[in-house]
Amino acid sequence: MSRSHQYHRPNAPDISGEDPESDLELDLDELGPSSKELFEGRRSQRDSHRGLFSNGPIPLQNLRAGGLRTSRRRPRQHEGGRDDAADLDHLFSHEHDGEDTPDGSNPLEDAAPLLRHGTEERPRSSKPSFRERFSTLVRLLNGSEGPVLGEEERRDSFGQIEKTGSPRTFTVGQPTAARFPPNAVSNAKYTPWSFLPRTLYYEFSFFINLYFLLIALSQILRPLRIGYLSTYIVPLAFVLTITLGKEALDDIARRRRDTEANNEEYIMLRIRDTGANSRVPKTGRRPIRQKTKARQNGPTKPSKRRVDDIDEEEETIGQGGGSYFEVDEIRVKSKDLKVGDILKIGKDQRVPADLVILKSYTTESSAAIYQPSEPSRTATEPLVDSADALAVASLPTISNPSADGDGVGETFIRTDQLDGETDWKLRLASPLTQTLSPEDFPKITITAGKPDKKVSVFIGSVKLEAGSGRLRDSQLQPKDQSVMTAPLTIDNTAWANTVLASSATVWAAVVYTGSETRQAMSTSSSRSKTGLLELEINNLTKILCALTLTLSIILVALEGFNHREEQKWYISITRFLILFSTIIPISLRVNLDLGKSVYARFIERDPEIPDAVVRTSTIPEDLGRIEYLLSDKTGTLTQNEMELKKIHVGTVSYAGEAMEEVSTYVKQGFSSIPSLDANQSTMLVTPLSLLNTATSGTTTRARREIGSRVRDVVLALALCHNVTPTTQEENGQNVTTYQASSPDEIAIVRWTESVGLRIIHRDRHRIALQSVDSGRVAVRVKILEVFPFTSEGKRMGIILQFLTGSESPTSSVTEGGEIWFYQKGADTVMTSIVAANDWLDEETANMAREGLRTLVIGRRKLSAQQYQDFAKSYKGASLSLQSRDASMAASVREHLEHNLELLGITGVEDKLQREVKPSLELLRNAGIKIWMLTGDKVETARCVAVSSKLVSRSQVIQTVTSLPSLVRNNPQAATNALNLLNSNPDSTALLIDGDSLSHLLNHHRHQFISLAVLLPAVIACRCSPTQKADIALLIRTYTKKRIACIGDGGNDVSMIQAADVGVGIVGKEGRQASLAADFSITQFHHLTKLLVWHGRNSYKRSAKLAQFVIHRGLIISICQTVYSISAQFEPIALFPDWLLVGYATVYTMAPVLSLVLDRDVDERLANLYPELYKELTPGTSLSYRTFGVWLLVSIYQGTSIQILSQLLTHSVDSPQMVSVSFTALVLNELCMVAFEITTWHWIMAVTLVGTLLVYIGSVPFLGGYFDLEYVWSWGFVWRVVVVDAVSLVPVWGGKSVRRWFRPPSYRKVRGV
């Protein structure tokens, strides 16, 4: 790591600073008149572009380095005088931003290659207006990630605000003057400035808190004051302190997790210009490799003060020989990355920002794995005849070009955490930058368009100054151009949160950071979530307030509105409102918040849900009310690990242990084909040579045919793909890995290796296969054409020519041989391509029922003439200016895709997460409708839905794909699809792609969503992250039900945040989803316990707790009402000061709070009878009906306690009556808690007994309210017993009778 990397060029003149200052200056007067005039002309021309020189002596140092620096900052002009800014303005104008013209072409793509010669001047940022500054301040207080000053906002088709920045032009590796967002991840809800305003606003948006705030403020007015002011202020302050403190702790925890992600270190290439002001290292950037300066050392001759010397030195500078850049590698934190920084990304490393790839190279090229030696005789390797060779040479390249044609410049990335697609994506470095050395990077200028949330679109350009690196001798550089320009597309990018999949090292420039990255723009900002139970309680408190106001008015009316002259009637009503304020218990929020903290602790301490984290502790009750579950596929339901499980060759199927028989057939066909050569070389295998392979002298004919068919299938699978092998060193050993755009293909190639045929080399032109048994090269082919897989075609093909001859460890003698066309694809398209057969449909259906992803393999032998005819036709189609793709596809169909020999079928399994099948079945039995939203292909989603049992055998899958194109041909296509869904919604599962979903939501929104929410399962494919969030929001809005979203990738963050309950899985590729979620788990099957056990218990406990707290407030208010009526409607407190506060806290709070430990069934029964969960979703545990029952119970008990206390003590207002009434009230509440407990816990008994002892112990200190002598008498005891017996026995008896005749479900399953 400490070794210096010499980023310099040899044979360069020394420009060391040790030269005397006089040598660096030149006086034009010392030149001859002609020379001076010539130089003055050149200088004036140069000044028009750069404005560098001034009168007087000219430092040669400025001539050396200043020109290079200035040329990147000043606009150059075309020969015709037109500035590039006009072209670039047209390129990045808003009106053509990614839109297609009516003829289907994209004006941006058409214009991109025309952008040449020069750079546009970086626009100066104008001073922000007051409105912009005010908007930024408001956005800051709201905690939203709004645009920076100068950004724009527009709304998308769903009405959501879409943030857009501005186009940018920057020099790679150099500081930028423009202001861009910091590259920091933030899942926090608040900022230090917005915490108090936002939390207080949120808390007082609840009616109960606002009500008590008004009650507390009313005590400032003396006519309304009842008791001490602290009696009303302290409880409110206590409630707010508890709530705000919990919210602050949750947000601090989020910030700590964000800090971990933001502090992840990356290697950055730091380039400092030592000829001028050096770039000061940024804070937090730690050098890891000290590099030498990139200028060249050598003796410098004294200046000859001649024009020729000046021209020679300018030419040297133009060729890069006088570079003054110091290059080194430093470690930099993710949050410190800025636009223009150059990052070094390695295999399996997450991309921290949106990047443009500059250079990509493998540590060991795949070509080095196998390099066949040149033939020892005269090469006789024509593929076909001369006409065929001409046709091959003239065909256009089908696969994506690399940067330099040798595979260098290519890399693969995984985007499943960004868009959900499991296929690897090929990314390329621009040919303009691939060959550059690091000290040439500052000569690169990148222009990029506005930030956009579309992950598949990017428009930009890269410009390079003349004479850079290897381009000096390259044909890419026209001699008359000083700046070269090349377009940048999506193929040259790596977006944030993708992962480098290939064994390569990538140098890339940061182009978008922070909130302007594709992932951030597709992610909605976090919001404060409110549980459904809290909303229901908030509605109940409004009813209680209306009841209190009504009761106050009635009491004043009974007394008479004008009965008292000294006190106005509205003053009396307000005083009664204050007296009855205990009906709305302020401690309700405190009890519920404490209960939620207990539930969160239960979840995090559950040993069966390891590493579970509760990030939002305000909504655990909603886990028990979920009716819709929206799940991602990749990494959530599946492991994204493919394995070939089954292969069928027409008459025989192989799976499991039977694969050993396949290995035997392969060994017989590819391991030992002898040659007559004296060096014991082996003959290369071709399809025709396999026909002559003898298996055994005693083998039957049928077995020989099966063996031949198996070998043909294995050979086809080993050749028909786009997999490239690479070798890297791990633990001192060379390990071969495979790179491909699809994990299916890698699974197939690994299977062929496991049965004995390994691919050891592949480039654009050749493939070599090795026999695993003998270690010799068995097959060598030349690639003539490749037809890649497309979503529309659903198949891929390849034309190969098998090379014949001998192969030995030291030499290879080959010549052209047979030409074959291989093709594999989905059964839906291959059925019409292969020859007629009677087993294809049946076997593919059998594999599909097993949840396997099927591929049909076929082949066709081509003669030289057939291939020549195809090549000419295909070339002509590729040159067509209209309908080019359709013409090329038609040419392939006409010449190749018919009557293919059907070789076999493969079944590939996408491994499911552990216990996914029983988990989905349990959730379905619990009444939860499950939607699977994925960015993957339709076929993949269908297979996973079947294999995971998301769709049961009794359900029919209705597939709706490509609906917009169908509607163009048949306007009734959408209506017909909806009618088919409506015919039998209970047994129909919908499979729909993203385009069809968008069409239905735009044109048939209400009809579609009303049907979709009735279906037992919906599978949506090719969904963007924004679409996932929109679906979640749409279901929430339409159904008003609780929905949960679960995912593991960055592409699921928007969906998770849009849900009522977001569950994140800690994935292999990162923790973005888990950090943004309300609950974090490690496996999908943990969700069942989270919902069915913890969610159900949390909701039932909170519902019971809320009812008791309301009952506690109602019963004391009823006592106050009876007392006020008996006291001739005087607004005087029955239990003043401490008695009122103590009753709600010390004397009843602990027993009531202990109800959070209650449970009606154990975990085994909850999993065995998931229907118990289904009963809770309508909210029956806390409803208007149950509220009415508790209201009647409170009225009865409060009335009986107060009336009996007054009758038995023969007093309306005396210490004896207060002592009997208050004691009976406390004991009544303790007994009611004991009656409601279903399963006793030792803490419950301790709180009940402990609270009773605390009350008894506090009685001697209540002399100001009680008659203590009377309290210690038997008369007091029997009166309290009688009062409680009258208030409790009827209630307990009625409850017992109801349980006997209508037992609840939990008693049925418990058998009690």
Side-chain angles (χ1 to χ4, degrees):
M1 297 294 291
S2 60
R3 183 177 63 87
S4 297
H5 290 244
Q6 303 298 328
Y7 293 123
H8 62 80
R9 304 187 184 93
N11 305 324
D14 183 19
I15 49 175
S16 172
E18 297 177 359
D19 294 342
E21 186 68 23
S22 59
D23 291 340
L24 295 179
E25 296 183 356
L26 175 68
D27 192 348
L28 295 182
D29 292 333
E30 297 181 9
L31 303 174
S34 59
S35 300
K36 179 178 179 180
E37 181 180 355
L38 175 62
F39 190 81
E40 288 284 351
R42 292 183 179 179
R43 186 179 67 176
S44 60
Q45 183 178 4
R46 194 180 303 115
D47 288 345
S48 65
H49 296 288
R50 306 175 185 174
L52 261 178
F53 304 110
S54 59
N55 295 330
I58 305 170
L60 283 181
Q61 191 172 8
N62 290 353
L63 292 178
R64 288 179 181 134
L68 283 178
R69 292 191 299 272
T70 311
S71 64
R72 294 191 302 269
R73 299 184 181 124
R74 299 293 182 182
R76 297 180 185 269
Q77 303 209 355
H78 294 291
E79 295 177 1
R82 185 186 176 195
D83 199 338
D84 277 342
D87 287 338
L88 292 173
D89 288 342
H90 175 72
L91 175 65
F92 299 111
S93 61
H94 180 70
E95 59 182 336
H96 296 296
D97 191 8
E99 300 179 359
D100 292 337
T101 56
D103 61 354
S105 63
N106 193 318
L108 300 184
E109 296 175 354
D110 294 339
L114 301 177
L115 298 178
R116 303 281 182 185
H117 323 296
T119 62
E120 76 276 18
E121 188 173 0
R122 182 177 296 137
R124 297 180 180 178
S125 57
S126 59
K127 184 178 180 181
S129 65
F130 172 78
R131 181 179 178 182
E132 291 175 328
R133 292 194 299 268
F134 180 76
S135 300
T136 304
L137 177 61
V138 172
R139 196 176 293 111
L140 179 65
L141 292 177
N142 289 333
S144 62
E145 296 182 356
V148 209
L149 290 180
E151 288 185 337
E152 300 176 4
E153 289 184 354
R154 63 172 181 260
R155 295 186 178 271
D156 58 15
S157 57
F158 290 92
Q160 302 294 325
I161 293 179
E162 184 179 338
K163 296 175 290 187
T164 60
S166 56
R168 70 236 11 235
T169 299
F170 58 90
T171 301
V172 172
Q174 298 300 305
T176 57
R179 177 170 172 256
F180 300 111
N183 194 53
V185 177
S186 178
N187 289 297
K189 295 181 180 179
Y190 313 103
T191 65
W193 299 273
S194 67
F195 175 74
L196 278 179
R198 291 187 64 192
T199 52
L200 289 177
Y201 173 81
Y202 175 75
E203 290 301 319
F204 286 117
S205 64
F206 287 95
F207 179 80
I208 184 172
N209 288 340
L210 181 62
Y211 176 79
F212 273 99
L213 176 64
L214 297 176
I215 293 295
L217 294 177
S218 69
Q219 296 304 292
I220 299 176
L221 305 176
R222 185 171 297 275
L224 301 179
R225 185 174 300 172
I226 300 177
Y228 297 114
L229 182 63
S230 59
T231 305
Y232 301 92
I233 297 294
V234 172
L236 179 62
F238 179 73
V239 169
L240 294 178
T241 301
I242 293 294
T243 306
L244 267 64
K246 188 165 65 66
E247 194 73 14
L249 291 177
D250 288 345
D251 211 52
I252 290 174
R254 293 188 193 96
R255 289 185 174 275
R256 288 175 178 172
R257 293 187 294 269
D258 291 340
T259 301
E260 294 178 5
N262 292 329
N263 288 339
E264 186 177 357
E265 290 189 343
Y266 292 85
I267 297 178
M268 189 189 83
L269 187 67
R270 180 174 60 181
I271 303 177
R272 292 179 291 181
D273 189 348
T274 59
N277 296 327
S278 299
R279 181 181 180 183
V280 181
K282 299 179 181 179
T283 304
R285 303 192 173 196
R286 180 162 51 90
I288 60 173
R289 295 181 181 179
Q290 294 299 330
K291 308 292 174 83
T292 58
K293 291 186 179 181
R295 50 179 160 176
Q296 292 72 21
N297 297 323
T300 303
K301 298 180 180 180
S303 174
K304 298 180 181 180
R305 298 180 180 271
R306 294 190 299 110
V307 176
D308 293 338
D309 289 342
I310 298 174
D311 293 338
E312 180 181 352
E313 187 162 352
E314 284 185 295
E315 182 179 357
T316 303
I317 294 175
Q319 294 177 349
S323 178
Y324 260 69
F325 294 111
E326 183 180 273
V327 180
D328 58 358
E329 292 180 359
I330 62 173
R331 290 195 178 275
V332 59
K333 295 179 180 179
S334 175
K335 65 180 180 181
D336 295 327
L337 294 177
K338 302 184 184 306
V339 173
D341 287 346
I342 306 172
L343 293 185
K344 180 181 181 181
I345 306 294
K347 178 178 172 59
D348 293 330
Q349 194 169 9
R350 183 182 68 88
V351 176
D354 286 357
L355 308 178
V356 168
I357 298 175
L358 302 177
K359 186 182 182 72
S360 175
Y361 56 90
T362 56
T363 50
E364 182 177 357
S365 177
S366 60
I369 300 173
Y370 171 73
Q371 288 290 352
S373 58
E374 293 297 327
S376 57
R377 58 182 177 86
T378 304
T380 58
E381 201 182 299
L383 292 177
V384 288
D385 56 19
S386 59
D388 293 337
L390 178 62
V392 174
S394 63
L395 282 179
T397 304
I398 303 302
S399 56
N400 292 328
S402 66
D404 59 0
D406 296 326
V408 181
E410 296 180 352
T411 187
F412 284 96
I413 62 173
R414 293 196 297 267
T415 63
D416 52 330
Q417 299 294 306
L418 180 66
D419 56 16
E421 297 187 14
T422 56
D423 294 352
W424 292 6
K425 305 296 190 304
L426 176 66
R427 292 295 184 260
L428 307 169
S430 173
L432 209 57
T433 61
Q434 171 65 27
T435 56
L436 297 181
S437 57
E439 76 264 20
D440 288 324
F441 285 163
K443 301 174 183 177
I444 300 172
T445 300
I446 292 179
T447 301
K450 293 181 180 180
D452 197 337
K453 65 181 179 182
K454 298 176 183 177
V455 297
S456 59
V457 176
F458 177 72
I459 301 294
S461 65
V462 58
K463 298 182 181 181
L464 179 66
E465 293 181 4
S468 299
R470 289 169 54 184
L471 291 176
R472 291 196 301 271
D473 302 324
S474 174
Q475 296 179 355
L476 290 174
Q477 177 182 337
K479 296 182 178 180
D480 58 343
Q481 292 186 8
S482 58
V483 174
M484 290 164 293
T485 307
L488 292 176
T489 66
I490 186 65
D491 294 332
N492 308 117
T493 63
W495 298 143
N497 211 35
T498 59
V499 177
L500 187 66
S502 54
S503 302
T505 300
V506 172
W507 291 103
V510 178
V511 64
Y512 301 113
T513 56
S515 59
E516 292 184 346
T517 61
R518 292 305 199 263
Q519 179 197 355
M521 297 190 72
S522 300
T523 304
S524 57
S525 58
S526 59
R527 61 185 179 92
S528 297
K529 297 183 179 181
T530 304
L532 183 59
L533 184 70
E534 289 195 20
L535 298 177
E536 294 171 344
I537 292 175
N538 196 49
N539 291 332
L540 295 179
T541 55
K542 294 177 182 178
I543 297 176
L544 291 175
C545 181
L547 181 64
T548 303
L549 179 61
T550 303
L551 187 59
S552 302
I553 295 175
I554 290 175
L555 291 179
V556 174
L558 291 177
E559 183 186 16
F561 286 102
N562 298 321
H563 181 70
R564 296 185 180 183
E565 296 182 357
E566 70 278 4
Q567 183 171 296
K568 300 295 183 181
W569 60 270
Y570 52 83
I571 298 294
S572 300
I573 292 177
T574 307
R575 287 177 63 87
F576 273 120
L577 275 174
I578 297 172
L579 284 174
F580 296 148
S581 62
T582 52
I583 289 181
I584 307 174
I586 191 172
S587 60
L588 178 60
R589 292 292 304 278
V590 176
N591 284 271
L592 289 177
D593 286 344
L594 292 177
K596 291 173 183 178
S597 299
V598 174
Y599 309 148
R601 187 174 180 84
F602 285 161
I603 294 173
E604 293 180 339
R605 293 297 182 91
D606 192 333
E608 296 183 12
I609 313 180
D611 301 323
V613 179
V614 179
R615 306 196 191 280
T616 304
S617 58
T618 58
I619 55 173
E621 300 91 355
D622 279 8
L623 291 171
R625 307 282 296 277
I626 301 301
E627 296 191 49
Y628 291 90
L629 175 64
L630 277 59
S631 173
D632 179 41
K633 179 188 73 67
T634 307
T636 303
L637 297 179
T638 68
Q639 303 179 31
N640 197 24
E641 295 180 3
M642 309 299 174
E643 182 180 1
L644 193 147
K645 285 287 189 180
K646 194 173 185 179
I647 184 170
H648 197 283
V649 294
T651 57
V652 182
S653 179
Y654 296 94
E657 296 180 357
M659 292 297 182
E660 296 180 1
E661 187 174 349
V662 176
S663 301
T664 302
Y665 288 136
V666 173
K667 180 179 179 181
Q668 293 169 351
F670 294 94
S671 295
S672 57
I673 301 180
S675 173
L676 299 177
D677 187 46
N679 295 327
Q680 296 295 325
S681 61
T682 58
M683 300 298 295
L684 294 175
V685 177
T686 66
L688 291 182
S689 67
L690 288 177
L691 294 176
N692 302 323
T693 301
T695 55
S696 176
T698 59
T699 304
T700 63
R701 177 181 178 183
R703 189 168 182 82
R704 286 197 299 271
E705 291 180 353
I706 293 174
S708 176
R709 184 175 288 272
V710 169
R711 286 188 286 270
D712 288 339
V713 171
V714 174
L715 179 62
L717 293 175
L719 293 173
C720 185
H721 53 72
N722 279 316
V723 179
T724 302
T726 59
T727 299
Q728 58 184 357
E729 186 174 343
E730 294 182 3
N731 300 325
Q733 297 180 350
N734 290 331
V735 179
T736 301
T737 59
Y738 298 111
Q739 300 175 8
S741 62
S742 173
D744 299 62
E745 292 199 325
I746 295 179
I748 292 175
V749 170
R750 284 176 177 167
W751 177 81
T752 61
E753 180 181 0
S754 68
V755 297
L757 198 58
R758 177 191 296 131
I759 177 173
I760 60 171
H761 169 70
R762 180 188 178 125
D763 55 28
R764 296 186 180 279
H765 311 292
R766 297 177 182 273
I767 299 177
L769 303 181
Q770 180 190 60
S771 170
V772 176
D773 179 64
S774 64
R776 296 284 189 91
V777 174
V779 179
R780 290 180 62 196
V781 298
K782 187 168 185 178
I783 302 174
L784 303 183
E785 297 289 350
V786 177
F787 311 102
F789 179 90
T790 62
S791 299
E792 295 76 17
K794 299 181 181 179
R795 59 192 182 275
M796 74 86 57
I798 188 170
I799 300 178
L800 303 170
Q801 183 177 35
F802 286 83
L803 303 183
T804 60
S806 61
E807 183 80 19
S808 69
T810 59
S811 64
S812 174
V813 181
T814 61
E815 60 182 6
E818 311 159 21
I819 301 177
W820 287 83
F821 169 61
Y822 289 95
Q823 190 172 59
K824 65 181 180 183
D827 59 290
T828 54
V829 297
M830 293 294 293
T831 302
S832 60
I833 296 176
V834 298
N837 60 88
D838 58 356
W839 57 272
L840 176 60
D841 294 337
E842 180 181 357
E843 293 303 327
T844 53
N846 292 336
M847 288 188 183
R849 279 191 290 270
E850 298 176 19
L852 300 178
R853 305 165 71 165
T854 58
L855 282 176
V856 179
I857 307 101
R859 70 175 181 179
R860 182 184 178 194
K861 189 176 186 300
L862 301 177
S863 65
Q865 185 62 41
Q866 287 176 327
Y867 176 71
Q868 182 180 1
D869 293 341
F870 162 74
K872 292 179 179 179
S873 173
Y874 195 75
K875 179 183 179 182
S878 66
L879 298 177
S880 176
L881 297 180
Q882 295 181 352
S883 303
R884 179 181 302 172
D885 293 339
S887 301
M888 295 169 69
S891 176
V892 174
R893 285 195 302 269
E894 178 183 356
H895 294 274
L896 301 178
E897 293 181 339
H898 54 82
N899 293 326
L900 265 66
E901 177 189 356
L902 177 59
L903 297 178
I905 310 172
T906 63
V908 177
E909 179 189 44
D910 190 353
K911 292 184 179 180
L912 299 175
Q913 294 280 2
R914 187 162 60 96
E915 299 181 19
V916 162
K917 295 180 182 179
S919 298
L920 290 176
E921 183 179 1
L922 188 147
L923 294 175
R924 189 164 48 242
N925 293 334
I928 299 176
K929 293 181 173 62
I930 304 173
W931 291 38
M932 185 174 75
L933 311 180
T934 176
D936 221 331
K937 300 185 289 291
V938 174
E939 293 78 9
T940 304
R942 179 194 294 272
C943 293
V944 172
V946 174
S947 63
S948 64
K949 306 301 181 185
L950 175 64
V951 178
S952 64
R953 292 181 178 269
S954 61
Q955 295 172 357
V956 179
I957 300 178
Q958 180 181 344
T959 304
V960 180
T961 58
S962 304
L963 191 58
S965 60
L966 294 177
V967 169
R968 283 193 291 269
N969 298 327
N970 180 14
Q972 299 298 321
T975 304
N976 296 337
L978 293 175
N979 292 336
L980 189 58
L981 275 179
N982 196 24
S983 61
N984 192 7
D986 295 333
S987 60
T988 303
L990 175 63
L991 177 62
I992 188 170
D993 62 358
D995 293 337
S996 302
L997 181 64
S998 297
H999 179 84
L1000 290 175
L1001 292 180
N1002 291 332
H1003 299 90
H1004 308 273
R1005 176 185 293 261
H1006 184 270
Q1007 187 179 1
F1008 169 72
I1009 194 63
S1010 61
L1011 285 175
V1013 296
L1014 300 178
L1015 301 177
V1018 176
I1019 304 101
C1021 316
R1022 294 297 186 187
C1023 286
S1024 65
T1026 305
Q1027 279 184 318
K1028 291 183 179 182
D1030 291 335
I1031 293 173
L1033 184 61
L1034 186 62
I1035 297 177
R1036 278 181 50 207
T1037 305
Y1038 182 82
T1039 64
K1040 308 298 182 184
K1041 306 294 185 182
R1042 297 284 101 173
I1043 70 169
C1045 294
I1046 181 170
D1048 73 315
N1051 61 314
D1052 303 318
V1053 172
S1054 295
M1055 175 181 70
I1056 288 173
Q1057 292 178 340
D1060 296 303
V1061 177
V1063 182
I1065 295 179
V1066 180
K1068 296 180 180 179
E1069 311 301 340
R1071 298 181 298 168
Q1072 291 78 17
S1074 64
L1075 291 176
D1078 305 309
F1079 301 89
S1080 174
I1081 56 179
T1082 56
Q1083 293 286 333
F1084 179 85
H1085 72 273
H1086 294 159
L1087 181 66
T1088 58
K1089 188 172 186 180
L1090 191 65
L1091 298 182
V1092 176
W1093 175 243
H1094 290 290
R1096 183 177 183 275
N1097 286 340
S1098 298
Y1099 171 62
K1100 288 190 68 68
R1101 290 165 176 172
S1102 289
K1104 184 178 291 187
L1105 179 62
Q1107 290 169 341
F1108 258 97
V1109 174
I1110 292 175
H1111 167 265
R1112 185 177 62 189
L1114 277 172
I1115 192 172
I1116 194 174
S1117 298
I1118 297 300
C1119 291
Q1120 176 67 51
T1121 302
V1122 174
Y1123 171 75
S1124 297
I1125 294 175
S1126 303
Q1128 298 179 353
F1129 306 102
E1130 287 287 341
I1132 302 174
L1134 171 61
F1135 305 122
D1137 304 332
W1138 167 250
L1139 293 182
L1140 185 63
V1141 176
Y1143 170 76
T1145 55
V1146 178
Y1147 300 144
T1148 59
M1149 185 173 181
V1152 172
L1153 188 60
S1154 68
L1155 291 173
V1156 300
L1157 303 174
D1158 192 20
R1159 66 177 187 220
D1160 53 359
V1161 295
D1162 57 19
E1163 184 179 350
R1164 181 185 64 84
L1165 290 176
N1167 291 327
L1168 188 61
Y1169 300 99
E1171 293 79 6
L1172 294 173
Y1173 182 91
K1174 188 176 182 179
E1175 292 180 348
L1176 301 184
T1177 52
T1180 54
S1181 295
L1182 181 62
S1183 61
Y1184 291 115
R1185 177 180 171 275
T1186 59
F1187 173 74
V1189 171
W1190 280 99
L1191 179 62
L1192 294 177
V1193 170
S1194 301
I1195 292 175
Y1196 168 75
Q1197 290 184 333
T1199 302
S1200 61
I1201 288 174
Q1202 188 59 31
I1203 290 179
L1204 288 176
S1205 297
Q1206 294 178 179
L1207 291 177
L1208 295 178
T1209 57
H1210 307 287
S1211 173
V1212 175
D1213 187 9
S1214 67
Q1216 292 85 356
M1217 186 277 297
V1218 173
S1219 60
V1220 172
S1221 176
F1222 189 79
T1223 303
L1225 187 64
V1226 172
L1227 294 178
N1228 178 86
E1229 198 64 21
L1230 297 180
C1231 292
M1232 286 293 293
V1233 171
F1235 291 164
E1236 288 297 320
I1237 293 177
T1238 305
T1239 304
W1240 280 86
H1241 191 279
W1242 65 269
I1243 295 180
M1244 297 177 177
V1246 169
T1247 56
L1248 285 171
V1249 176
T1251 299
L1252 180 60
L1253 295 177
V1254 167
Y1255 175 71
I1256 295 174
S1258 66
V1259 169
F1261 301 97
L1262 302 178
Y1265 311 101
F1266 294 171
D1267 185 349
L1268 296 182
E1269 293 183 3
Y1270 179 73
V1271 169
W1272 302 117
S1273 64
W1274 284 107
F1276 169 79
V1277 173
W1278 73 262
R1279 286 178 174 84
V1280 170
V1281 171
V1282 169
V1283 171
D1284 281 335
V1286 172
S1287 65
L1288 290 172
V1289 172
V1291 175
W1292 176 79
K1295 184 176 182 179
S1296 300
V1297 171
R1298 183 172 59 85
R1299 286 180 176 178
W1300 177 266
F1301 288 101
R1302 296 182 59 185
S1305 299
Y1306 73 86
R1307 293 179 66 87
K1308 295 178 182 178
V1309 299
R1310 292 178 59 180
V1312 296

